[in-house]
Amino acid sequence: MTGGDEAVRFLDILTTASSVAHARGGEAVLATHMLEAIDVLTGEAEPDAGSTPVSPLGHRRAELSVEPAVRELTQRWFARLGGTPEAAVDGEALSELRTELELLVRS
């Protein structure tokens, strides 16, 4: 997938954002993690080989929280997309989601 031409499952964005947050050692999923997840899933970026991932083996991984503004956005978008695990974001909707996330990053 490149350039957002194809649909990306919303659930994949959420799980990839969680993985990014864990890899960064974050305590919460942030809008920046969501943006990075979209970039990886659309092929606009490679998973960051420069970071040192946290190994899940032999270490207890801390539970991640979700930044309140990101939680509100994901709940709203999940409902907008029909509230199913198969829900996908493509084209103009993906661009709109990125814009909303970028606004959260700036605020």
Side-chain angles (χ1 to χ4, degrees):
M1 263 183 282
T2 58
D5 294 336
E6 296 183 35
V8 178
R9 280 186 347 140
F10 192 63
L11 183 59
D12 291 342
I13 295 171
L14 301 178
T15 58
T16 302
S18 176
S19 294
V20 168
H22 267 298
R24 303 275 182 267
E27 295 179 7
V29 177
L30 308 174
T32 55
H33 300 135
M34 297 277 291
L35 287 166
E36 188 172 345
I38 291 169
D39 288 345
V40 168
L41 292 168
T42 59
E44 293 181 29
E46 293 292 320
D48 187 7
S51 69
T52 306
V54 178
S55 172
L57 302 174
H59 304 283
R60 183 175 174 104
R61 290 171 65 163
E63 292 296 318
L64 285 175
S65 63
V66 178
E67 183 180 47
V70 172
R71 177 178 294 116
E72 187 278 326
L73 178 142
T74 57
Q75 290 172 346
R76 185 170 34 83
W77 271 84
F78 188 66
R80 173 182 170 173
L81 296 169
T84 66
E86 297 81 25
V89 188
D90 63 0
E92 192 173 312
L94 190 57
S95 178
E96 185 180 336
L97 177 59
R98 282 182 201 256
T99 299
E100 286 192 44
L101 289 164
E102 289 165 355
L103 288 171
L104 289 180
V105 170
R106 288 187 220 130
S107 62

